Each structure stands twice: as structure tokens, then as C-alpha cells.
Amino acid sequence: QVQFVESGGGSVQPGGSLRLSCAASISIFSIYRMGWYRQAPGKQRELVASISGDGSTHYADSVKGRFTISRDNAKNMVYLQMNSLKPEDTAIYYCNTPVRVRSWGQGTQVTVSS
């Protein structure tokens, strides 16, 4: 059964940085496009960044230039480096496979507040 375990969230001030990690228990991890999603209170979950098996990336306009997604296929890990954080980035962040979304992990809370 595929499982995602997210970590690295926390509380930061505007302008701060965080690095999120996702451990994916999935066979042949390297063939899957991986994505980071977020869900803010009262809003729908949205895809903010994704990365293909060979490293091509895509970002939502709201995070472009501030967030960087990366992966380590040898470790079945996906990362999200978040810089210049804004209060509107406050959300629970999840990872998953965008082409075929699977069961969600618990996510990791990111709070940006002064």
C-alpha cells in the first residue's frame, strides 16, 4: 500500500524559510511524477509544485520563484524548499502522485505569521 509521510513544517515569520520532506513508500518511485499540495482553512486542496522522475518541474504561479521542489530517487524522498514565505502560504502541506492521486498522508502544518 502506498504511503506518504510528510515532515518539516512549523511556524515562521513572513519572509522566513522552511524545508519540507516527504517519504514515499511506493514501488519504482523514480517513474512517478511527485507533487506537493496544500490546503488552507476553508479552501480546496491545491497542487503547488510537481516534479517528474527525471527532474522537470512545474509550479503554481502563487509560489513560482519562492518554492523549489526536488527529489532523491535513491531514497524515495521529495522535498519542498520554501523561501520568502507569506501569511497566505499558511496551510497543511501534503505530497502525492498527481497523475493518480492516492491516499493522503497526515500532512505537515506550515504557519506563517508575525
Side-chain angles (χ1 to χ4, degrees):
Q1 183 176 352
V2 175
Q3 187 175 19
F4 303 109
V5 180
E6 302 90 351
S7 62
S11 295
V12 296
Q13 293 187 337
S17 298
L18 284 172
R19 187 189 191 218
L20 307 184
S21 299
C22 168
S25 60
I26 184 170
S27 299
I28 321 176
F29 172 79
S30 62
I31 71 171
Y32 292 97
R33 174 170 284 273
M34 294 297 301
W36 279 100
Y37 297 75
R38 68 185 180 189
Q39 186 167 22
K43 294 188 176 182
Q44 288 191 334
R45 196 166 346 214
E46 60 172 344
L47 179 64
V48 297
S50 66
I51 184 168
S52 70
D54 62 0
S56 66
T57 58
H58 181 270
Y59 297 94
D61 288 343
S62 58
V63 307
K64 201 171 292 183
R66 300 187 297 122
F67 290 11
T68 302
I69 188 171
S70 61
R71 66 191 294 160
D72 185 336
N73 288 337
K75 296 181 179 179
N76 282 27
M77 295 290 294
V78 186
Y79 307 98
L80 187 67
Q81 178 67 44
M82 306 187 297
N83 299 327
S84 303
L85 282 162
K86 304 176 181 180
E88 51 264 43
D89 295 319
T90 295
I92 302 175
Y93 285 71
Y94 305 85
C95 64
N96 213 308
T97 47
V99 174
R100 178 189 166 197
V101 175
R102 304 166 192 269
S103 297
W104 295 98
Q106 291 192 319
T108 186
Q109 174 72 49
V110 172
T111 302
V112 185
S113 173
S114 56

